[in-house]
């Protein structure tokens, strides 16, 4: 049964539960009164480093229960996201096991521990309520300074993130490219493991135009990725691991493919608009900032980029292996973000490679707008969940600031690419309920 909890999340956040916990009303009153009086003392660690506080709380719990079989539940009532909530829960489990506790089901336990992750205006507060036998509950707690968090969510989001469903199909879909539009997309190309299909919107319905085979001599990797890039002098190019396909320049669309390790463009130089020249970030004028085209080599038998770049970013011709990349133009340089295979986002400015303290999913993309700084990064927070959400961030310096609410999707995002014009992105999702693949256009709109 779910009873009262320690306290609610701060006003600008929403409740995210990891598991059910319970806390009697008298404990609620005691804890709230302690918070108001500032009884919790200084924080023991920065919120960005959970291990020390996890171990401290584990030691306090074991001091009450002693080593033995314990049933554990965790509930998140703080502003921590679902990813951080899962990280903390796993860290607490590990710390308790290292301290001599054996985690079991409730019917097998000698004691039960209900942990609530909560907060006050200055600190995260983790409270553990311990039950042993018929005796009264014991409560132990630790606090962590909220100032250590790197990602700030505004109380009133200045940007709205809109998603528009463009296409749905039963079979796997790797990418979608909008080839023509007049207010809304009028012609699209859809990339699958075996072909590129062209569709045109007629009388409000997509009508198939042509299917172009993707020929390849080697088996595809298990987790296949691919990208469609509109071109200047022909319709488009298709990039898959170890294979490059290009359409002909004539009136009748044909496509030829060849095995090769040609680099994939990270800043497309094609399309109806020169994608390597964009309005300057934060500028209200029509001046432009040139973004040098950048490409990276994709591992032919895997699902990530090798890290080798062409051309180099300053002194860096290689970066850590990564899944996706985004860029943010600055006044005198371009800041690159690489969602690396080590789980970190690496920030590269040509002089330094700075691994982030924040953690995102493997898919990121850059978009330009007339809002805020003029450039935002879309980041998917996948983790171990069955569905994804995407949020827009800005980087006043090297730490992300959330500038939009999260847009939720019906399944895991498998690809997120900036479109050639730079002001929108395409996200590919596998719907967890229907099993179908869906392509969405993501657009940022300035909030009124």
């Amino acid at each position: 049964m779910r009873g009262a909890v320690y306290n609610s999340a701060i006003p600008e956040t929403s409740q995210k539960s990891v598991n059910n916990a319970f806390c009697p009303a008298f404990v609620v009153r005691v804890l709230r009164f302690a918070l108001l009086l500032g009884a919790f003392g200084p924080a023991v660690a920065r919120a960005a480093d959970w291990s020390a506080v996890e171990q401290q709380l584990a030691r306090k719990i074991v001091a009450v229960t002693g080593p033995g079989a314990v049933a554990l539940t965790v509930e998140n009532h703080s502003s921590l996201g679902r990813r951080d909530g899962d990280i903390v829960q796993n860290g607490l489990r590990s710390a308790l096991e290292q301290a001599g506790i054996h985690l079991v089901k409730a019917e097998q336990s000698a004691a039960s521990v209900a942990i609530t992750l909560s907060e006050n205006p200055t600190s995260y507060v983790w409270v553990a309520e311990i039950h042993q036998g018929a005796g009264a509950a014991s409560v132990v707690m630790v606090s962590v300074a909220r100032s250590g968090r790197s990602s700030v969510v505004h109380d009133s989001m200045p940007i709205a993130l809109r998603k528009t469903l463009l296409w749905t199909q039963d079979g796997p879909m790797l990418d979608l490219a909008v080839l023509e539009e007049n207010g809304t997309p009028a012609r699209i190309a859809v990339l699958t493991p075996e072909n590129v299909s062209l569709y045109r919107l007629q009388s409000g319905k997509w009508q198939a135009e042509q299917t172009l085979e993707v020929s390849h001599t080697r088996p595809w990797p298990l987790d296949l990725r691919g990208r469609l890039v509109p071109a200047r002098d022909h319709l488009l190019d298709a990039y898959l691991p170890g294979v490059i396909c290009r359409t002909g320049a004539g009136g009748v669309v044909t496509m030829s493919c060849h095995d090769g390790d040609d680099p994939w463009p990270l800043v497309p130089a094609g399309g109806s608009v020169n994608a390597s020249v964009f309005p300057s970030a934060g500028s209200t004028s029509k001046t432009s900032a040139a973004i040098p085209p950048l490409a990276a080599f994709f591992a032919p038998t895997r699902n990530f980029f090798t890290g080798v770049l062409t051309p180099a970013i300053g002194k860096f011709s290689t970066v850590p292996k990564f899944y996706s990349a985004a860029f943010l133009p600055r006044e005198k340089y371009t800041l690159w973000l690489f969602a690396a295979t080590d789980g970190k986002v690496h920030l590269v400015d040509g002089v330094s490679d700075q691994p982030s303290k924040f953690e995102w999913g493997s898919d990121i993309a850059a978009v330009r707008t007339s809002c805020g700084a003029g450039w935002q990064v879309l980041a998917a927070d996948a983790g171990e969940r069955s569905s994804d959400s995407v949020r827009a961030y800005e980087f006043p310096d090297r730490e992300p600031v959330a500038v939009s609410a999260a847009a939720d999707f019906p399944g895991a995002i498998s690809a997120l690419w900036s479109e050639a014009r730079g002001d929108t992105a395409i996200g590919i999702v596998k719907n967890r309920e229907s099993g179908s693949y869906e392509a969405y256009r993501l657009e940022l709109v300035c909030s009124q």
Side-chain angles (χ1 to χ4, degrees):
M1 179 180 71
R2 179 173 175 172
V5 295
Y6 161 55
N7 70 338
S8 299
I10 56 177
E12 68 266 31
T13 60
S14 59
Q15 177 176 312
K16 303 178 181 68
S17 295
V18 178
N19 218 324
N20 285 335
F22 49 89
C23 189
F26 81 92
V27 176
V28 175
R29 292 194 294 271
V30 170
L31 296 181
R32 285 178 174 165
F33 182 69
L35 272 179
L36 292 174
L37 294 181
F40 285 134
V44 297
R46 291 180 66 83
D49 180 13
W50 305 122
S51 58
V53 70
E54 289 164 355
Q55 293 169 9
Q56 184 183 17
L57 184 58
R59 288 193 297 268
K60 289 187 175 184
I61 293 172
V62 174
V64 176
T65 64
V70 170
L72 175 68
T73 59
V74 181
E75 186 170 16
N76 182 11
H77 285 268
S78 73
S79 59
L80 291 176
R82 283 171 285 189
R83 171 183 286 273
D84 274 353
D86 290 344
I87 290 173
V88 169
Q89 180 178 207
N90 292 335
L92 286 170
R93 289 178 176 274
S94 177
L96 288 169
E97 289 172 344
Q98 292 174 8
I101 281 181
H102 179 51
L103 298 177
V104 298
K105 296 180 179 179
E107 59 268 24
Q108 302 171 325
S109 66
S112 63
V113 177
I115 297 177
T116 301
L117 309 179
S118 193
E119 65 190 290
N120 63 22
T122 61
S123 301
Y124 293 106
V125 183
W126 299 355
V127 182
E129 181 185 356
I130 305 167
H131 287 264
Q132 288 179 295
S138 300
V139 176
V140 297
M141 66 189 75
V142 294
S143 62
V144 193
R146 290 184 62 234
S147 59
R149 296 305 297 153
S150 60
S151 181
V152 179
V153 179
H154 292 317
D155 188 16
S156 178
M157 291 299 177
I159 297 177
L161 175 54
R162 295 180 181 175
K163 60 180 184 180
T164 302
L165 180 63
L166 297 180
W167 180 256
T168 301
Q169 65 181 45
D170 293 334
M173 176 169 41
L174 306 180
D175 195 14
L176 179 147
V178 177
L179 304 176
E180 299 175 17
E181 59 183 309
N182 183 16
T184 59
R187 193 186 188 201
I188 61 173
V190 177
L191 176 63
T192 76
E194 304 304 330
N195 58 60
V196 174
S197 296
L198 306 179
Y199 299 89
R200 185 175 293 277
L201 190 64
Q202 296 179 341
S203 301
K205 295 183 179 180
W206 289 109
Q207 303 293 334
E209 275 192 340
Q210 197 171 354
T211 298
L212 309 170
E213 180 185 0
V214 173
S215 58
H216 56 100
T217 60
R218 292 175 293 186
W220 292 129
L222 183 61
D223 183 12
L224 179 61
R225 303 194 75 190
R227 188 176 190 189
L228 289 175
V229 179
R232 285 176 177 166
D233 56 355
H234 55 282
L235 189 63
L236 57 81
D237 298 323
Y239 294 84
L240 298 101
V243 174
I244 307 297
C245 300
R246 179 166 295 174
T247 60
V252 178
V253 179
T254 60
M255 187 172 72
S256 60
C257 303
H258 66 273
D259 292 343
D261 62 351
D262 296 6
W264 296 23
L266 301 179
V267 180
S272 58
V273 177
N274 185 354
S276 63
V277 179
F278 297 111
S280 300
S283 173
T284 57
S285 68
K286 295 183 179 180
T287 58
S288 296
I291 309 299
L294 182 70
F297 290 87
F298 199 92
T301 60
R302 303 298 297 273
N303 66 340
F304 52 74
F305 291 91
T306 65
V308 179
L309 307 174
T310 178
I313 302 175
K315 69 177 185 179
F316 292 96
S317 59
T318 60
V319 295
K321 298 173 183 177
F322 64 94
Y323 295 108
S324 60
F327 57 87
L328 295 170
R330 305 299 203 200
E331 184 177 354
K332 297 182 179 179
Y333 67 95
T334 299
L335 179 64
W336 278 90
L337 291 77
F338 297 95
T341 59
D342 63 5
K344 302 288 186 180
V345 175
H346 287 250
L347 292 82
V348 178
D349 58 11
V351 177
S352 64
D353 175 357
Q354 176 184 329
S356 66
K357 296 179 181 179
F358 56 90
E359 295 185 2
W360 286 343
S362 58
D363 292 291
I364 60 177
V367 291
R368 63 174 173 85
T369 66
S370 58
C371 315
W375 282 93
Q376 290 80 32
V377 174
L378 300 179
D381 181 15
E384 299 299 324
R385 295 181 286 115
S386 60
S387 63
D388 269 359
S389 62
V390 172
R391 192 188 295 270
Y393 295 85
E394 289 184 355
F395 280 75
D397 186 25
R398 300 301 168 92
E399 298 292 343
V401 174
V403 292
S404 82
D408 293 324
F409 291 85
I413 290 178
S414 58
L416 184 63
W417 299 108
S418 300
E419 292 196 70
R421 297 184 311 177
D423 57 356
T424 51
I426 295 294
I428 307 298
V429 173
K430 183 177 181 181
N431 191 302
R432 68 181 182 276
E433 294 184 1
S434 66
S436 62
Y437 289 78
E438 302 172 353
Y440 291 85
R441 169 174 274 182
L442 281 66
E443 179 183 11
L444 296 179
V445 180
C446 306
S447 298
Q448 299 297 324

